[in-house]
Amino acid sequence: MDLKSHRFISYFEPEQAAQLCKLAALENFPDGAVIFEEGEIPDFLYLVLRGQVTFSKRIGPERYQTVAVAWENDFFGEFGVLDGQPRSARAVAFKEAILAKIPRDKLMEILQNVKGSVVLNLFGYIIQHLRVTTEQYVNQIVHKEKMALVGEMVNTIMHDFKGPFTGIQLASSMLRDLHPDEETAEWCDLIQMQSQRMLAMADEVLEFARGTSILKKEPINLERLIQKFEKLNRIYFDSASVKFSTQVENVEIMADENKLLRVLQNLINNAVEAFENRGGRIELVVRAFEEWAEIKISDNGPGIPEAIWERLFEPFVTYGKRGGTGLGTAIAKSIIDAHGGEISFHSQSGEGTTFYIRLPLMKTVMPKNTQTDIRGELNSTGQVFA
Ligand SMILES: Nc1ncnc2c1ncn2[C@@H]1O[C@H](COP(=O)(O)OP(=O)(O)O)[C@@H](O)[C@H]1O
Ligand SMILES: [Mg+2]
């Protein structure tokens, strides 16, 4: 955008606006460039003409927490300019940014002589930003506390939880040895697989609460993966009177198999739960496109309540069910994000729900183990303080 039409300049009378435009120096900041550091003495006010700027506070050695983002037409650095105190956060260009820098001393001179209405405009903007940033900050803290609490809770129950499963696994393998016929072996395998999945689920929640996840990426044939998924769920579907059908193209992707199974399981559990024992149909379709594989999961259930459409993928968003954790779709999204994919849905009341997952096709060789924060970045508000 053009400097003259920037929001900050428009607060001033024409004469002062022209003066400010003259004083402002335009500077280009490439993606990732530090504009100022936390603790620095402020010497400029910055107007964003293009790109974005993120603000982060140091929370440990080499660790920063993003607290806000400034967009085109925002300005930042006004706190330091007004009270002369050190910068309260570090500012970094996100995508290439073009900023107009106005020197603090000159700006203060102009501000000494402005009309009350200019000051009121400025005040209004600053206060509104402060409110939103504070609210966002409090939400982040509450969110973190919740996550820590879940982590603690899961940690405590994990130990007791694992005990009985060791017993179940031992018993089923003994049963397999005592009755070496094919059918018993198959059922025992199923018991083993399912109890292992239960353990994996507990680990998954723990991982989510911790906020990190190691992706063990390897070449995955989606056809085989879906077959495995179907086998794991056969009894579950039968007992819930669910007709599960698939249509799968032969596609290979680089992915973490267990994590992908988790995504399918979370989404399909939701569909089955939505049927509320009345039974229903779930269809899973896998198709290959030029650059990605698409997994489409459709059900003919009641549809996702409109009240949670916007927040569905956020943690702890649950609706109309007893004992819902609200983590299923959040975990699914974080896993898909960590794979460089996308997840979205379409839902219509009374007609059903379709989830669309896109994952990059196997083309280039990717690192085998990638460390990713599966909770993703905390939301930014587009609000600024510095
Ligand atoms: N296929 C679906 N059909 C109907 N409602 C759904 C479906 N998938 C998700 N939902 C709704 O979205 C909510 C959030 O799902 P999720 O994140 O898995 O948490 P939880 O299942 O623990 O509530 C569910 O409580 C449910 O109301
Ligand atoms: Mg769920």
Side-chain angles (χ1 to χ4, degrees):
M1 73 180 302
D2 155 39
L3 176 60
K4 271 187 263 146
S5 41
H6 191 280
R7 170 192 287 142
F8 182 78
I9 303 290
S10 71
Y11 292 152
F12 292 82
E13 305 270 283
E15 195 189 322
Q16 291 155 335
Q19 228 177 327
L20 284 167
C21 286
K22 238 194 233 159
L23 283 170
L26 297 198
E27 195 171 330
N28 249 322
F29 290 88
D31 188 21
V34 176
I35 299 157
F36 54 71
E37 286 286 357
E38 189 175 338
E40 260 179 37
I41 301 300
D43 39 13
F44 291 103
L45 176 89
Y46 296 83
L47 319 187
V48 186
L49 301 182
R50 181 153 13 117
Q52 286 169 32
V53 176
T54 58
F55 301 88
S56 41
K57 283 189 87 70
R58 195 198 302 273
I59 51 168
E62 292 303 305
R63 288 188 61 217
Y64 290 88
Q65 165 84 55
T66 303
V67 289
V69 180
W71 312 80
E72 189 174 305
N73 208 16
D74 281 332
F75 58 92
F76 63 92
E78 72 276 12
F79 281 14
V81 163
L82 290 174
D83 68 4
Q85 293 294 308
R87 299 290 192 197
S88 58
R90 161 198 240 212
V92 176
F94 178 68
K95 298 182 181 154
E96 193 177 308
I98 301 179
L99 307 179
K101 296 163 64 174
I102 303 177
R104 174 171 187 246
D105 46 351
K106 298 278 185 336
L107 177 61
M108 291 306 274
E109 268 172 36
I110 295 177
L111 285 175
Q112 305 276 0
N113 303 312
V114 293
K115 276 193 1 196
S117 60
V118 177
V119 176
L120 280 179
N121 275 337
L122 269 171
F123 256 174
Y125 176 85
I126 295 171
I127 289 170
Q128 189 216 344
H129 266 195
L130 200 57
R131 269 190 213 281
V132 181
T133 311
T134 310
E135 194 183 317
Q136 175 74 13
Y137 191 66
V138 170
N139 286 345
Q140 284 188 0
I141 301 267
V142 171
H143 175 80
K144 272 201 160 160
E145 287 289 314
K146 270 188 189 172
M147 297 312 283
L149 216 64
V150 173
E152 230 170 81
M153 198 178 78
V154 176
N155 234 339
T156 344
I157 59 168
M158 269 282 274
H159 186 74
D160 298 342
F161 193 78
K162 278 186 168 161
F165 281 104
T166 323
I168 292 172
Q169 294 203 323
L170 205 69
S172 74
S173 77
M174 278 178 70
L175 209 63
R176 199 180 200 281
D177 290 346
L178 283 173
H179 302 272
D181 60 288
E182 209 176 287
E183 206 179 352
T184 313
E186 204 176 310
W187 291 119
C188 288
D189 284 349
L190 198 68
I191 294 174
Q192 298 257 350
M193 268 155 90
Q194 292 286 17
S195 54
Q196 239 149 33
R197 259 189 53 216
M198 294 283 279
L199 288 172
M201 271 159 75
D203 283 338
E204 201 69 78
V205 179
L206 190 64
E207 261 181 44
F208 184 81
R210 281 200 196 117
T212 52
S213 159
I214 307 283
L215 282 190
K216 292 193 196 78
K217 280 191 183 171
E218 53 195 351
I220 303 279
N221 181 299
L222 282 179
E223 205 173 6
R224 269 207 298 278
L225 182 95
I226 307 287
Q227 277 166 6
K228 185 170 178 181
F229 178 78
E230 204 170 350
K231 191 172 171 199
L232 280 168
N233 282 281
R234 214 166 45 208
I235 297 177
Y236 177 49
F237 290 145
D238 286 348
S239 66
S241 313
V242 168
K243 276 211 167 67
F244 182 74
S245 61
T246 60
Q247 219 182 306
V248 183
E249 280 181 23
N250 196 350
V251 191
E252 285 230 335
I253 57 168
M254 281 295 275
D256 183 320
E257 179 172 313
N258 278 327
K259 297 253 184 299
L260 221 51
L261 281 172
R262 161 114 335 277
V263 173
L264 299 180
Q265 197 67 54
N266 287 4
L267 298 181
I268 280 171
N269 284 354
N270 280 342
V272 174
E273 284 158 14
F275 294 143
E276 291 182 327
N277 295 324
R278 289 187 299 263
R281 282 196 317 273
I282 299 175
E283 194 189 27
L284 198 157
V285 180
V286 175
R287 285 196 298 166
F289 289 85
E290 216 169 278
E291 306 261 313
W292 67 84
E294 183 190 75
I295 306 176
K296 200 172 96 177
I297 303 170
S298 322
D299 67 63
N300 64 344
I304 297 175
E306 201 171 335
I308 56 166
W309 282 358
E310 281 199 8
R311 294 177 303 125
L312 182 74
F313 293 112
E314 288 175 23
F316 310 113
V317 172
T318 174
Y319 195 97
K321 64 170 82 152
R322 259 212 213 148
T325 59
L327 285 178
T329 47
I331 289 176
K333 178 164 168 47
S334 53
I335 292 174
I336 297 302
D337 284 350
H339 279 84
E342 280 170 26
I343 180 166
S344 59
F345 69 92
H346 177 80
S347 194
Q348 197 154 2
S349 175
E351 304 217 339
T353 304
T354 303
F355 277 88
Y356 301 88
I357 297 169
R358 277 181 178 186
L359 289 164
L361 275 190
M362 206 173 117
K363 258 192 185 161
T364 44
V365 183
M366 295 185 201
K368 235 185 166 203
N369 295 322
T370 328
Q371 178 111 32
T372 326
D373 187 338
I374 66 164
R375 287 185 310 189
E377 271 285 299
L378 288 168
N379 289 341
S380 49
T381 52
Q383 304 307 323
V384 188
F385 78 95

